[in-house]
Amino acid sequence: MDKTDWQHEFADVNGISLHYVRQGHGRPLVLLHGWPEFWYTWHKIIPGLSTAFDVIAPDLRGLARVRNPTRLLTRLIRLIAT
């Protein structure tokens, strides 16, 4: 499996649209990134893990392609960027 097998999906959770990438079959394995990264942190290991697992790599709230981030996190990101 390679990156062409990645499935980009969204899940609506409590009014927030969370983006995640999924690949593989089997028992679920969730990969959580640190701040301020996003799912792509795992892009090199997802294909290998997906041969044995259903790999799920979400973007954490307020980062990358997640829609409707919290106001506080948005203000924090703007503060750091300036």
Side-chain angles (χ1 to χ4, degrees):
M1 293 188 170
D2 61 23
K3 68 180 183 177
T4 60
D5 297 321
W6 291 338
Q7 298 171 11
H8 291 266
E9 300 180 24
F10 286 89
D12 291 324
V13 180
N14 296 324
I16 297 169
S17 184
L18 298 175
H19 170 259
Y20 62 96
V21 170
R22 191 172 203 164
Q23 182 180 14
H25 301 284
R27 295 178 60 190
L29 175 64
V30 179
L31 304 176
L32 299 176
H33 61 78
W35 188 87
E37 299 168 336
F38 62 111
W39 77 268
Y40 197 74
T41 298
W42 308 110
H43 78 279
K44 291 183 179 179
I45 66 169
I46 290 173
L49 291 171
S50 69
T51 61
F53 297 98
D54 176 11
V55 180
I56 304 162
D59 288 332
L60 298 181
R61 184 175 177 178
L63 301 170
R65 295 176 64 183
V66 173
R67 298 180 186 143
N68 304 326
T70 63
R71 289 183 187 166
L72 179 60
L73 187 54
T74 301
R75 287 175 47 201
L76 178 61
I77 291 170
R78 286 183 184 154
L79 179 64
I80 292 170
T82 57

